[in-house]
Each structure stands twice: as structure tokens, then as C-alpha cells.
């Protein structure tokens, strides 16, 4: 496959590994904060190729994993209402809430539909005018423009039975919060897809304020290894900055139209992240102009009290403080078939990736 | 005659009888079936018999490379053949949703008959039920099959003779069936030319066994894909398996679609692929036999049984890295067979 095989070329990989081995002379910690990177690193077996001096950590890059349990409880409560259709990306279906999950509610007869785009959800709304359609808006800057486009469309078409339950978040505050909490990070493999939307400037604070490197990376093995090499150069030369490795997709200014859509519809708010608690100005909620599409304010529902699992260390794993194997539940009580924590549910979650590839 | 299946076709009365006569007897035509009794009565002379059953609920019933009828025969033939058996007789039970066009049923039955002929098996008994609209999706088929096992092949089914150094082969490119179904469901609204690999493998298997090669184990890699078969072998034998990702054939169009949709071809269903474990000294003999049959011409040695990493499958990735390969949790794609 053109444009993929080149980035999986064994010779190039070997060359990069040699270069990394050559310059690596003391231990560094590099964290990826995008679930796609977590997945690719495990799928291609990249840790097995790197020298021991390079410690790779997985951060809070899987949107499903950082979504609060109360959000799931909320969605479950909505799914139990009459004349209501829940539309969602597939990943969210299995995430356990306090006492139920969307999957369990679906098996009991709730109308929960997996969609691949918010526009599919909008179509469902148009075809079912007598029902309320709630789209579960989850994800970072990558999926937020899609949700925004859905709302702008619904507004234009005057669709009044379409609502969003938003858990959209933005990435940079979490990257700062990790360092503020004392997690030792020398460099970030910065998210590729998020950056196609935002551009590179949103990460400027990371090298400036913390002396931590930042390289925006693509998702193929050569991309990731080259990004690691670029980070090592920054770290060992103490020349911290934001660099783009993924130049074939990411422009410094990002996707301006998508940014405008986000700004048109959303406003920043404090948000709850699994493992972190509240991070100030890290969530996206609908602004007053579009609040009539906000499920949380427009449709009242009684939500059960959130119950956190005992023993689950998803929080520490999301911060890179612990590895999935450090969790007592990992692989025994918590498996990809019966996930306890969200990190085990999503295909992009660290526990899921470790469970499948590195157990 | 009605144009569509109605509840009366399952009532046991006149409509049922005309359905049996005009469709099932017409196509499945063989002397055991035409005894028209409640049970098929036949004689089998072997100490070892293999017996299997499987239900087919694929959505949609017609897909590129096959249909539910062909699949229902191939699937059961393959389940027998990979156990080292020579498939002989098959039963076919139909659960049909009222409203199914009769011509669709006829097409499916005709396809079953053609595949049975091709595989050299007879469909000797059957049943038809019709359910209300919405109580099943168009048509569900159950087939059971019975076959005879030669004394020399009786240990293939358990894999008990697998040992370190044995080679692992596959008869061709993986993931075609699952991706063909995906494409026909118009997932992502794009068109492809991917066809299901749906095929009866019993003749291919016979070609290999006839060489006298020491075949230790066989399994058709259906739901769960090749990865699931390999993990089962490792877990059941307690031995390690090393697989070279580069050696597992995947057609370019299938690989492209998998990449695009985030599927791992190792976990995507096949309906005409088998994983075979053979004694290393017989590797070439087996390859030659495979290559002489169109269903095996793209055979590849994908890995071997090893002493290290007991009960685990380690994949050497295409870039030279290493990782564990595990079973799939949940479905990648529902109702594919």
C-alpha cells in the first residue's frame, strides 16, 4: 500500500533504531498522549526494539478512558427514557457505568445505535421526528469539529429533536496537569490527529514552561521512531521546542475551518477527567447560542449516584505513573471481555493494548 | 404457486409438501433423501466417525463469492475435513422468515446442491420451519454432517502429537470473507472487488493427507480469524508459537480495507482457509500438494512451534518487533457466517 508501506520499511526502522541507540546515553521518559500512538506502539512491538534507556509511557490519550463514570451513568439514564434514541461511537458501548452500561441497556431493549459520524445521528433525528435523539459527544479536538458541524447543521435545518451530551475535552491542559502533578516526563509524543485540527502552537507552553520536548508524530512505525529520535535530540541537547514530524498531515496553523466550527459552538469549561479529577478549562460545553441542543440542560433525567470501583488504578495508569501490569485487577478480574476500568474497554486504552499485545 | 414464503409453507400441509418436492427434492436429489422417511438411513463402515453441526445466519444471505447456502455446506464440510474425516452426509434445517421470495430460497438451495456435489457429500435429511415476519432475518440454516476417519488420521482432531519444531502453514491469503461481508454491507459507503473465500477444503485436505505427510493438526480459521486458531493451539498444547507477520499472506485490497477501517486481518473471518501443523521434514511435501490445488496455490509457512514462551503466540511484526498475539474479545463484526 503506497504511503503506508514506506513507513513500515524494515531498513528505515533499523536505521532509526541504530541512530537512537547511538545517541541514547541516559534514561529518558517519553509519553504518548494519543490512543492511536499507544495502539501502534504495541501493535508493531516497538518497545522490544528500543534500548532500555528509553522508557515509553502511555498517557491520557484515549477519550473513552478519560471520560467520567458519571457521563456513562448519565447516558444510561437517558437510554432508559421513552421515545429516546442514543447514538454513539462504538467504543463507548461497553464502558461500565456505576451499575450498568449502554451494552446492558441495549440488551434490555433500549434504542442505542452505533454511528460512525454525528451526521448519521442527525439523519436518525430527521427520520424520527417524534423521538429525541441524543448523540454522545466524546473525544478531543479531533472529534469535536464533527460534533460542532452536526450542531451547526441541525441549527440550519431547524431540527429540534437532536441533542448532544458533550464530554469533549481538549488535550493541552491535561499535558500540563501531568507535569504539574510531578510525573517525570522528558518529552511528549504529541497527538497526530488532534494536531491536524489545532496546529502546533497549542503545545508551546510545554517546552516554554516545563523544559519538556514535544514532537507531533504520525502513526506508522517509522513516524514514531523518528519522533522518538527527534525528542532525544531535543532532550540531550536541552533544546526544548515543538516540532512536527507528521508534516504530511499537520500544518503549523492546523485546520482553520474546523477550529472555527469548534469556536462557533463550544465554550471552555472545567471538566472532570478520570484519574485527574477536575482540570480547569479543559472541557468543551455548548455555548449559550446553541444551548437548546444541550441534552444536559434540555432533558432532565434522574441519574444514579456514581460508584467508583475498588482496586482499579486506571487513574495512575492514565497518568503514566503505573503500568497496567501493576494493577491487581489486570488480566484476572479485569480483562478485555469483562472490563472493570475504561482503559481496558477501548481499543486505544493502555490496558487493552497491553492485554492484547504484551500480556 | 406463491411468489413468497408464507406461514403455510411451514405448516406440514400441502404447501410444505410442494416446497419439499419442488425445491428440496429437485436439487438435493439422492436416493437416501428420496426414501422420504423421518430419518435418513444409511450404512457407514468405519470405526471412527466425525459428527458436527453449525448454524448459518449471515447477513446478507447473498454476498460476493457465495451465499448462505454455499456457506452452510462448506462450513460443515470443512469442520469434518479438518478433523481428518472424509465428509459423507449432511442434514439441512431451514428457518425461514415469511415473505422471503421463493426464488431466493430456490437460489440458495440450488447453491447448496452445487456445493454438495462439488464437495462429494449428500444432503440426506432436512427440515423447514417458517416464522412470522421479524422473528428471524430472511433465512437461517443449520447443517449437521457426518464423516469417516481413517485410522492413520485419528489423532489430527486433538493435535496431541504437536511438538517443538513443527511447522505452521496456511493455504492462502487471510481475511477475505470478513472484509467481503463488510464491503457488501456498504460500510463506509465505498466499493471494493473483495470476494469471500468461501470454499470446501476437503479435497485439498485429502490431497495433502494422501502424500503420507505427518499432519499433526488442522483447523479452519473462521470467526476469530487465524489469530484465534493459533492461540487455541498454543493454549491447548502448552507449547509456544512464533509467527512471522511478513509470511502471513493478505491480499492488497483486503489489507487496504483493513487499514482504513481499523481491522486486524489476523482476527477477520475466513471461510476457505485452514491452519495446518506439520512435521518439519514433511513441509515441502505438503507445500507441493497444496500448490497443485487452486485452493492452496498461495500456501505459506507462517511460523513454527517453539520451546520458548510456553502456551503463548509471539508475533514477529513486519518491522522486526515482537509482541504477543491474543484472542479477540467480543465481535469485530457480527453475523458474518
Amino acid at each position: 500500500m503506497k504511503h503506508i508501506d514506506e513507513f513500515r520499511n524494515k531498513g528505515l526502522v533499523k536505521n532509526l533504531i541504530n541512530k537512537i541507540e547511538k545517541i541514547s546515553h541516559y534514561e529518558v521518559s517519553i509519553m504518548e498522549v494519543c490512543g492511536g500512538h499507544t495502539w501502534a506502539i504495541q501493535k508493531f512491538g516497538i518497545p522490544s526494539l528500543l534500548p532500555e534507556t528509553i522508557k515509553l509511557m502511555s498517557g491520557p490519550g484515549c477519550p473513552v478512558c478519560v471520560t467520567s463514570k458519571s457521563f456513562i451513568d448519565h447516558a444510561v439514564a437517558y437510554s432508559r427514557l421513552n421515545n429516546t434514541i442514543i447514538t454513539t461511537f462504538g467504543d463507548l458501548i461497553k464502558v461500565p457505568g456505576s451499575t450498568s452500561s449502554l451494552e446492558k441497556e441495549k440488551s434490555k431493549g433500549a434504542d442505542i445505535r452505533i454511528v460512525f459520524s454525528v451526521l448519521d445521528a442527525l439523519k436518525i433525528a430527521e427520520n424520527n421526528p417524534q423521538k429525541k435523539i441524543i448523540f454522545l459527544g466524546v473525544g478531543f479536538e479531533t472529534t469535536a469539529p464533527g460534533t460542532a458541524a452536526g450542531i451547526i447543521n441541525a441549527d440550519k435545518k431547524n431540527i429540534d429533536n437532536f441533542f448532544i451530551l458533550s464530554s469533549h475535552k481538549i488535550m493541552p491542559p491535561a499535558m500540563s496537569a501531568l507535569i504539574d502533578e510531578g510525573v517525570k516526563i522528558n518529552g511528549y509524543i504529541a497527538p497526530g490527529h488532534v494536531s491536524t485540527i489545532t496546529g502546533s502552537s497549542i503545545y508551546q507552553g510545554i517546552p516554554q514552561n516545563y523544559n519538556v520536548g514535544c514532537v507531533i508524530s504520525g502513526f506508522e512505525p517509522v513516524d514514531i521512531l523518528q519522533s522518538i529520535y527527534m525528542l532525544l535530540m531535543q532532550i540531550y541537547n536541552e533544546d526544548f521546542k515543538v516540532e512536527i514530524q507528521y508534516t504530511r498531515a499537520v500544518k503549523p496553523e492546523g485546520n482553520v475551518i474546523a477550529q472555527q466550527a469548534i469556536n462557533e459552538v463550544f465554550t471552555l469549561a472545567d471538566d472532570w477527567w478520570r484519574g485527574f479529577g477536575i482540570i480547569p478549562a479543559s472541557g468543551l460545553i455548548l455555548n449559550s447560542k446553541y444551548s437548546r441542543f444541550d441534552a444536559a440542560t434540555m432533558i432532565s433525567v434522574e441519574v444514579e449516584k456514581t460508584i467508583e470501583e475498588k482496586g482499579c488504578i486506571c487513574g495512575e495508569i492514565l497518568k503514566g505513573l503505573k503500568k497496567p501490569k501493576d494493577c491487581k485487577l489486570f488480566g484476572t478480574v479485569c480483562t478485555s471481555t469483562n472490563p472493570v476500568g475504561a482503559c481496558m474497554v477501548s481499543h486505544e486504552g493502555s490496558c487493552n493494548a497491553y492485554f492484547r499485545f504484551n500480556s | 404457486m406463491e411468489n413468497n414464503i408464507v406461514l403455510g409453507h411451514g405448516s406440514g400441509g400441502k404447501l410444505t409438501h410442494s416446497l419439499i418436492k419442488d425445491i428440496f427434492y429437485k436439487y438435493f436429489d439422492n436416493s437416501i433423501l428420496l426414501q422420504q422417511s423421518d430419518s435418513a438411513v444409511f450404512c457407514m463402515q468405519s470405526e471412527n466417525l466425525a459428527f458436527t453441526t453449525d448454524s448459518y445466519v449471515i447477513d446478507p444471505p447473498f454476498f460476493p463469492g457465495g451465499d448462505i447456502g454455499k456457506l452452510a455446506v462448506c462450513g460443515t464440510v470443512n469442520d469434518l475435513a479438518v478433523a481428518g474425516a472424509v465428509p459423507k452426509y449432511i442434514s439441512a434445517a431451514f428457518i425461514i422468515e415469511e415473505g422471503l421470495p421463493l426464488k431466493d430460497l430456490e437460489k440458495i438451495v440450488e447453491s447448496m446442491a452445487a456445493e454438495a456435489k462439488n464437495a462429494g457429500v449428500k444432503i440426506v435429511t432436512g427440515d423447514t420451519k417458517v416464522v412470522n415476519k421479524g422473528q428471524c432475518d430472511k433465512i437461517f440454516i443449520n447443517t449437521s454432517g457426518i464423516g469417516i476417519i481413517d485410522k492413520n488420521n485419528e489423532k489430527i482432531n486433538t493435535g496431541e502429537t504437536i511438538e517443538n519444531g513443527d511447522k505452521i502453514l496456511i493455504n492462502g491469503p487471510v481475511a477475505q470473507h470478513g472484509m467481503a461481508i463488510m464491503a457488501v454491507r456498504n460500510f463506509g459507503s465505498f466499493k471494493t472487488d473483495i470476494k469471500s473465500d468461501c470454499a470446501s477444503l476437503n479435497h485439498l485436505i485429502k490431497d495433502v493427507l494422501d502424500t503420507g505427510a505427518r499432519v499433526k493438526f488442522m483447523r479452519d480459521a473462521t470467526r476469530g480469524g487465524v489469530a484465534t486458531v493459533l492461540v487455541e493451539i498454543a493454549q491447548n498444547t502448552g507449547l509456544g508459537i512464533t509467527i512471522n507477520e511478513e509470511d502471513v499472506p493478505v491480499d492488497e485490497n483486503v489489507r487496504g480495507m483493513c487499514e482504513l477501517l481499523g481491522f486486524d486481518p489476523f482476527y477477520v473471518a475466513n471461510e476457505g482457509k485452514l491452519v495446518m501443523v506439520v512435521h518439519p521434514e514433511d513441509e515441502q511435501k505438503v507445500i507441493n500438494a497444496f500448490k497443485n490445488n487452486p485452493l492452496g496455490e498461495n500456501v505459506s509457512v507462517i511460523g513454527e512451534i517453539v520451546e520458548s514462551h510456553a502456551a503463548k503466540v509471539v508475533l514477529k511484526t513486519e518491522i522486526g518487533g515482537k509482541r504477543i498475539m491474543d484472542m479477540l474479545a467480543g465481535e469485530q463484526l457480527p453475523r458474518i457466517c
Side-chain angles (χ1 to χ4, degrees):
Chain A
M1 272 173 300
K2 208 165 164 12
H3 306 311
I4 285 195
D5 289 338
E6 301 91 316
F7 295 94
R8 296 181 185 176
N9 180 293
K10 244 184 177 171
L12 285 175
V13 166
K14 201 150 190 260
N15 198 8
L16 280 162
I17 296 288
N18 288 341
K19 281 168 84 172
I20 288 169
E21 276 172 350
K22 219 168 178 180
I23 62 161
S24 168
H25 57 284
Y26 60 82
E27 193 176 293
V28 297
S29 298
I30 292 175
M31 176 178 271
E32 88 275 351
V33 281
C34 170
H37 286 143
T38 307
W39 174 251
I41 286 168
Q42 297 299 333
K43 178 181 184 325
F44 291 102
I46 288 176
S48 71
L49 297 168
L50 292 172
E52 280 178 11
T53 42
I54 297 170
K55 199 175 142 212
L56 292 183
M57 299 188 289
S58 300
C62 152
V64 167
C65 306
V66 293
T67 297
S68 71
K69 210 170 199 183
S70 77
F71 178 83
I72 303 294
D73 292 341
H74 230 97
V76 163
Y78 280 135
S79 77
R80 291 172 179 163
L81 296 180
N82 288 335
N83 288 320
T84 305
I85 303 175
I86 303 291
T87 53
T88 174
F89 297 136
D91 266 15
L92 223 47
I93 284 271
K94 282 175 79 175
V95 181
S98 293
T99 59
S100 184
S101 68
L102 292 170
E103 190 179 44
K104 284 184 191 156
E105 295 302 317
K106 189 168 188 280
S107 72
K108 285 188 221 160
D111 195 346
I112 297 168
R113 304 186 192 179
I114 293 174
V115 291
F116 295 94
S117 147
V118 67
L119 299 179
D120 296 340
L122 205 56
K123 214 174 277 168
I124 295 172
E126 284 181 278
N127 294 338
N128 296 276
Q130 74 289 6
K131 295 193 174 177
K132 286 177 177 157
I133 283 57
I134 301 174
F135 176 73
L136 306 181
V138 174
F140 302 112
E141 292 93 330
T142 331
T143 51
T147 304
I151 292 169
I152 292 167
N153 262 312
D155 184 50
K156 269 190 200 149
K157 292 181 174 175
N158 262 326
I159 300 173
D160 58 5
N161 63 330
F162 177 73
F163 304 91
I164 303 278
L165 184 64
S166 174
S167 175
H168 283 297
K169 292 176 167 54
I170 59 169
M171 185 48 88
M175 291 167 74
S176 299
L178 277 166
I179 308 173
D180 289 337
E181 284 207 20
V183 180
K184 189 182 164 286
I185 299 165
N186 303 102
Y188 273 118
I189 297 176
H193 295 142
V194 163
S195 309
T196 56
I197 305 292
T198 62
S200 55
S201 61
I202 59 160
Y203 309 109
Q204 280 309 345
I206 303 287
Q208 265 168 23
N209 305 334
Y210 301 103
N211 277 350
V212 167
C214 225
V215 175
I216 298 167
S217 176
F219 295 87
E220 296 300 324
V222 167
D223 291 320
I224 293 168
L225 289 168
Q226 191 182 17
S227 299
I228 291 172
Y229 178 71
M230 288 163 79
L231 279 170
L232 292 178
M233 293 293 280
Q234 288 189 24
I235 296 162
Y236 292 134
N237 294 328
E238 293 185 19
D239 177 20
F240 300 103
K241 54 193 163 190
V242 180
E243 288 184 284
I244 306 175
Q245 180 279 333
Y246 198 23
T247 48
R248 63 189 186 280
V250 177
K251 288 182 280 186
E253 70 278 16
N255 180 336
V256 177
I257 295 172
Q259 290 166 21
Q260 282 165 352
I262 296 180
N263 294 336
E264 166 69 19
V265 168
F266 291 111
T267 185
L268 280 176
D270 297 351
D271 201 359
W272 197 96
W273 294 55
R274 188 184 285 247
F276 292 79
I278 302 250
I279 302 182
S282 65
L284 294 170
I285 57 166
L286 293 176
N287 61 28
S288 54
K289 185 178 169 192
Y290 294 96
S291 61
R292 66 190 172 97
F293 296 105
D294 189 355
T297 53
M298 299 301 289
I299 309 170
S300 60
V301 69
E302 203 170 313
V303 184
E304 62 188 306
K305 196 171 171 287
T306 308
I307 310 166
E308 291 297 337
E309 306 88 1
K310 289 202 179 98
C312 172
I313 59 163
C314 270
E316 277 118 314
I317 290 167
L318 286 166
K319 286 187 210 157
L321 293 173
K322 291 199 169 155
K323 294 260 183 196
K325 277 182 186 161
D326 300 329
C327 181
K328 275 190 285 190
L329 309 183
F330 179 77
T332 52
V333 181
C334 181
T335 63
S336 52
T337 324
N338 281 308
V340 176
C343 301
M344 184 58 95
V345 176
S346 170
H347 157 109
E348 295 187 350
S350 344
C351 291
N352 185 289
Y354 274 77
F355 186 74
R356 288 188 57 179
F357 296 145
N358 201 16
S359 51
Chain B
M1 201 170 165
E2 299 274 348
N3 289 325
N4 296 320
I5 291 286
V6 294
L7 286 172
H9 281 116
S11 68
K14 278 187 179 168
L15 277 174
T16 309
H17 277 87
S18 71
L19 189 70
I20 291 173
K21 199 168 123 271
D22 297 339
I23 295 190
F24 297 119
Y25 285 172
K26 178 178 164 192
Y27 291 103
F28 294 159
D29 183 33
N30 63 70
S31 59
I32 301 174
L33 180 69
L34 295 178
Q35 291 164 358
Q36 303 190 22
S37 55
D38 277 349
S39 292
V41 177
F42 47 80
C43 173
M44 296 189 84
Q45 283 169 343
S46 172
E47 263 182 43
N48 294 302
L49 298 179
F51 180 43
T52 189
T53 189
D54 213 336
S55 297
Y56 300 85
V57 296
I58 190 165
D59 167 37
F62 297 95
F63 51 86
D67 55 64
I68 190 169
K70 181 180 181 189
L71 193 65
V73 173
C74 293
T76 292
V77 163
N78 291 344
D79 282 348
L80 292 170
V82 295
V86 177
K88 287 290 191 188
Y89 302 114
I90 283 186
S91 72
F94 298 81
I95 296 171
I96 307 172
E97 185 187 25
E98 66 172 330
L100 181 82
L102 263 173
K103 63 172 178 27
D104 282 1
L105 178 66
E106 187 164 4
K107 247 166 94 178
I108 289 165
V109 171
E110 191 177 0
S111 165
M112 288 180 85
E115 191 55 33
K117 191 176 174 201
N118 172 41
V121 295
K122 289 191 168 77
I123 299 171
V124 291
T125 187
D127 180 52
T128 311
K129 296 282 188 300
V130 179
V131 296
N132 288 311
K133 194 118 192 132
Q135 290 184 338
C136 88
D137 187 8
K138 298 179 200 73
I139 182 165
F140 295 164
I141 303 176
N142 171 277
T143 54
S144 293
I146 193 160
I148 53 177
I149 303 185
D150 187 280
K151 200 121 194 82
N152 295 325
N153 300 328
E154 62 188 9
K155 286 183 178 163
I156 291 176
N157 190 40
T158 59
E160 63 196 85
T161 62
I162 295 176
E163 57 194 337
N164 286 329
D166 285 348
K167 298 289 179 185
I168 303 169
L169 290 83
I170 189 151
N171 62 314
V174 300
Q176 290 166 329
H177 178 74
M179 283 300 113
I181 299 307
M182 196 76 176
V184 86
R185 285 186 194 166
N186 205 19
F187 189 90
S189 320
F190 58 78
K191 292 194 168 70
T192 76
D193 53 357
I194 301 171
K195 280 199 174 79
S196 166
D197 58 344
C198 176
S200 295
L201 299 171
N202 56 326
H203 298 313
L204 175 72
I205 290 170
K206 183 175 183 296
D207 292 349
V208 173
L209 294 177
D210 283 351
T211 64
R214 283 160 284 181
V215 174
K216 309 282 189 84
F217 183 74
M218 291 181 277
R219 176 73 46 93
D220 50 340
T222 53
R223 276 177 305 173
V226 174
T228 302
V229 173
L230 294 169
V231 175
E232 277 172 0
I233 296 174
Q235 287 178 351
N236 293 344
T237 60
L239 298 167
I241 291 179
T242 299
I243 298 294
N244 292 309
E245 186 169 25
E246 280 180 329
D247 294 330
V248 181
V250 188
D251 280 348
E252 201 62 4
N253 50 3
V254 171
R255 198 158 78 96
M257 190 167 169
C258 283
E259 279 293 334
L260 209 59
L261 299 177
F263 283 83
D264 185 338
F266 285 111
Y267 294 93
V268 177
N270 309 278
E271 286 295 344
K273 291 297 160 337
L274 86 144
V275 172
M276 188 181 268
V277 182
V278 302
H279 192 285
E281 286 167 14
D282 295 343
E283 177 187 324
Q284 200 50 49
K285 212 191 262 184
V286 173
I287 289 175
N288 293 343
F290 267 128
K291 286 198 165 163
N292 283 329
N293 187 311
L295 293 174
E297 59 191 359
N298 294 312
V299 58
S300 178
V301 180
I302 60 171
E304 62 183 333
I305 308 287
V306 294
E307 218 161 331
S308 54
H309 54 265
K312 288 209 159 84
V313 182
V314 169
L315 182 78
K316 282 193 186 159
T317 69
E318 58 187 305
I319 63 161
K322 276 185 190 170
R323 67 162 164 94
I324 298 275
M325 191 185 238
D326 200 2
M327 271 189 207
L328 189 68
E331 286 271 24
Q332 280 215 119
L333 183 62
R335 282 186 55 204
I336 46 175
C337 58

